[in-house]
């Protein structure tokens, strides 16, 4: 019904002396919100009236996702069949407060420094079968966003220890950036960004990705970041994760006619490691950090034949 027709209908009811109809159920609020949310936080959504648990407790119409998958989640919860298993983060969902609140308890800690979203379908219904509106009174997908803070425990300490700028043909299958974790806490690189400085001085970046749980560098360990065309030509131990950054070539290809200048940023955008920021030698194959714990200074950088540090 259009707003004009709805207004006319209400006016007609008032003229007949009938009481105003009860407002449709709607979302009252959601938590958590803001930034710095603990990674072990639970999520919840409140309603103005009891809701039908169908679709809300089984993850078809209500999901918790990392914001990178928000569009996929919105389409899934609004589809005829609803979201399939695996679209959202695994949670234990319960109906509380007389059916007016759904609580989502993640089965594992959320990823740190990462934007997340709680996504509710417009197809959700109240217990009496009426549609549920968003807080503004509209029937549409409701999204509540928040961002996690640092994971608990000792922090990781990433260091870019080697950049291979030239590899045997095809180069896209062999270029990589080696990252060491010098800290006491695990380093989950998924969602971090790797950047290179172009000839013009601008930064070109890509987001690091890997299957959930497979992008973690243990304390004292190493990880490799390569392009999507990585062909596994090096003997990489199983404990060394290989992550993707770039659809084919790493960062669209690393230039071998000028010194490397690479940066690593956490999901919140803070630069956590660099190599070549203050200049680096022009190397035929790869440039490495001589002392992994040392500063990013030219005297601490040297050329290498490109064999990864774990070999």
């Amino acid at each position: 019904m259009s707003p004009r027709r709805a207004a006319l209908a209400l006016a007609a009811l008032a003229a007949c002396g009938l009481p105003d109809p009860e407002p449709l159920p709607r979302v009252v609020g959601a938590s958590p919100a803001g930034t710095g949310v603990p990674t072990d936080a639970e999520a919840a959504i409140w309603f103005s009236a009891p809701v039908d648990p169908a679709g809300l407790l089984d993850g078809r119409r209500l999901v918790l996702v990392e914001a990178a998958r928000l569009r996929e989640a919105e389409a899934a919860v609004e589809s005829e069949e609803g979201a399939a298993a695996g679209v959202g983060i695994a949670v234990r969902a319960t109906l509380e407060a007389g059916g007016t609140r759904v609580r989502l308890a993640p089965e594992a800690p959320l990823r740190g420094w990462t934007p997340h979203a709680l996504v509710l379908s417009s197809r959700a219904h109240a217990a009496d079968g009426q549609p549920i509106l968003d807080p503004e009174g509209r029937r549409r997908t409701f999204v509540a966003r928040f961002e996690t803070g640092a994971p608990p425990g000792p922090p990781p300490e990433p260091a870019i220890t080697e950049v291979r700028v030239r590899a045997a043909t095809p180069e896209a299958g062999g270029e990589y950036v080696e990252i060491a974790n010098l800290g006491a806490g695990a380093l989950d690189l998924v969602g971090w960004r790797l950047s290179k400085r172009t000839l013009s001085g601008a930064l070109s970046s890509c987001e690091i990705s890997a299957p959930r749980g497979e992008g973690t560098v243990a304390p004292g360990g190493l990880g490799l970041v390569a392009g999507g065309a990585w062909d596994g030509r090096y003997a990489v131990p199983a404990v060394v994760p290989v992550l993707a950054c770039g659809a084919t070539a790493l960062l669209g290809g690393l230039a071998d006619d000028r010194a490397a200048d690479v940066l690593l940023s956490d999901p919140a955008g803070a630069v956590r490691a660099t190599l070549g920021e203050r200049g680096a030698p022009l190397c035929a194959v790869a440039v490495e950090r001589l002392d992994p714990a040392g500063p990013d200074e030219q005297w601490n950088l040297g050329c290498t034949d490109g064999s990864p540090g774990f070999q």
Side-chain angles (χ1 to χ4, degrees), residues 61-289:
R61 302 296 178 199
L62 175 63
V63 296
L64 175 64
V65 297
E66 294 183 1
R69 301 189 66 182
L70 179 55
R71 287 189 178 182
E72 176 189 355
E74 288 178 314
V77 298
E78 295 295 351
S79 65
E80 187 68 30
E81 61 277 9
V87 171
I89 294 169
V91 299
R92 297 183 302 277
T94 54
L95 192 60
E96 305 173 337
T100 62
R101 180 175 67 224
V102 176
R103 181 169 61 91
L104 304 178
E107 294 182 357
L110 302 176
R111 196 186 306 278
W113 295 301
T114 303
H116 289 74
L118 190 62
V119 185
L120 173 69
S121 171
S122 65
R123 292 172 175 260
H125 289 86
D128 61 5
Q130 295 189 95
I132 298 175
L133 308 182
D134 72 3
E136 285 73 45
R138 300 183 181 182
R139 190 173 185 183
R140 59 181 177 180
T141 309
F142 171 71
V143 177
R145 303 170 188 262
F146 65 93
E147 185 174 312
T148 52
E157 185 182 340
I160 299 175
T161 49
E162 188 173 352
V163 178
R164 179 159 192 157
V165 297
R166 177 175 292 175
T169 304
E171 282 199 78
E175 293 179 340
Y176 62 81
V177 169
E178 181 186 87
I179 298 173
N181 180 11
L182 307 180
L187 173 61
D188 183 356
L189 285 170
V190 173
W192 290 51
R193 297 195 73 85
L194 195 64
S195 305
K196 67 177 181 181
R197 198 171 301 279
T198 64
L199 189 59
S200 67
L203 290 178
S204 175
S205 67
C206 57
E207 183 174 309
I208 299 174
S209 64
R212 185 170 176 81
E214 296 183 17
T216 301
V217 181
L222 295 172
L224 292 187
V225 181
W230 170 263
D231 55 20
R233 66 183 65 180
Y234 309 111
V236 180
V239 296
V240 177
V242 179
L243 301 96
C245 195
T248 52
L250 174 61
L251 283 164
L254 298 177
D256 52 20
D257 58 353
R258 60 181 184 276
D261 187 354
V262 178
L263 302 84
L264 178 69
S265 304
D266 65 29
V271 176
R272 302 290 302 278
T274 63
L275 189 147
E277 185 178 40
R278 296 180 180 86
L282 179 59
C283 298
V285 179
V287 57
E288 68 173 350
R289 203 184 211 98

Side-chain angles (χ1 to χ4, degrees), residues 8-99:
L8 290 174
L10 289 174
L13 288 174
C16 295
L18 297 176
D20 292 340
E22 290 292 325
L24 291 174
R26 65 178 62 191
V27 175
V28 175
S31 67
T35 59
V37 172
T39 57
D40 60 354
E42 297 180 346
I45 184 167
W46 289 267
F47 305 92
S48 63
V51 296
D52 182 353
L56 302 185
L57 302 187
D58 60 13
R60 292 185 300 110
R61 302 296 178 199
L62 175 63
V63 296
L64 175 64
V65 297
E66 294 183 1
R69 301 189 66 182
L70 179 55
R71 287 189 178 182
E72 176 189 355
E74 288 178 314
V77 298
E78 295 295 351
S79 65
E80 187 68 30
E81 61 277 9
V87 171
I89 294 169
V91 299
R92 297 183 302 277
T94 54
L95 192 60
E96 305 173 337

